[in-house]
């Protein structure tokens, strides 16, 4: 399911407990993969989170949030999951900035995050 910006904003407000009057900016991100799409949600004093919507038809997508929490628990650096709705197939996670792993693909090992 592809959510509209209004639906994304409403879901984010509810999940984060933000007031209806809190202005939100929904910014689609070009990054996609494994039937997942992403957007950045800016709010407040330029704070932001990443909204990921996914298809449950790809089995691995259903495990994304649980695996992220497990990896964090054992000390690996992964984005924190703030909210996951397994019925509506979306989650909110920590925004780690503009650069993704693809950006570092040619970088020497020492420079990779």
């Amino acid at each position: 399911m592809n959510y509209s910006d209004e639906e994304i904003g409403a879901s984010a407000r509810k999940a984060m407990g933000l007031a209806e009057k809190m202005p939100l900016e929904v910014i689609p991100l070009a990054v996609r993969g494994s039937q997942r799409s992403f957007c950045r949600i800016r709010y407040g004093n330029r704070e932001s989170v990443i909204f990921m919507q996914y298809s449950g038809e790809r089995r691995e997508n259903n495990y994304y949030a649980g695996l992220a929490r497990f990896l964090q628990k054992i000390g690996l650096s992964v984005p924190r999951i703030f909210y996951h709705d397994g019925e509506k197939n979306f989650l909110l996670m920590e925004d780690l900035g503009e650069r993704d792993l693809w950006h570092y693909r040619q970088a020497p090992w020492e420079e990779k995050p």
Side-chain angles (χ1 to χ4, degrees):
M1 172 179 199
N2 287 327
Y3 293 99
S4 69
D5 287 358
E6 292 78 23
E7 291 170 315
I8 291 170
S11 296
R13 278 190 179 88
K14 183 177 178 183
M16 295 187 300
L18 299 175
E20 284 293 319
K21 295 180 181 180
M22 169 71 71
L24 294 180
E25 181 182 10
V26 177
I27 305 160
L29 301 175
V31 177
R32 299 183 62 85
S34 299
Q35 294 182 326
R36 297 186 310 253
S37 61
F38 302 85
C39 63
R40 175 172 283 118
I41 300 175
R42 291 193 196 274
Y43 63 98
N45 293 328
R46 305 309 290 164
E47 297 177 79
S48 63
V49 293
I50 299 296
F51 182 94
M52 181 185 91
Q53 51 187 318
Y54 62 90
S55 168
E57 293 174 12
R58 298 270 316 233
R59 282 184 42 195
E60 67 269 19
N61 287 341
N62 298 308
Y63 304 115
Y64 193 101
L67 288 171
R69 289 182 176 121
F70 171 77
L71 293 172
Q72 184 179 25
K73 191 181 284 189
I74 64 171
L76 295 177
S77 180
V78 297
R80 286 178 290 155
I81 304 298
F82 297 125
Y83 182 82
H84 177 230
D85 187 324
E87 290 182 23
K88 294 183 179 177
N89 295 347
F90 76 83
L91 58 84
L92 290 169
M93 68 178 122
E94 182 179 16
D95 185 351
L96 298 178
E98 299 292 327
R99 293 184 176 173
D100 59 17
L101 291 176
W102 185 253
H103 173 83
Y104 295 98
R105 69 191 180 283
Q106 301 296 328
W109 186 254
E110 299 79 30
E111 294 177 23
K112 294 183 182 192

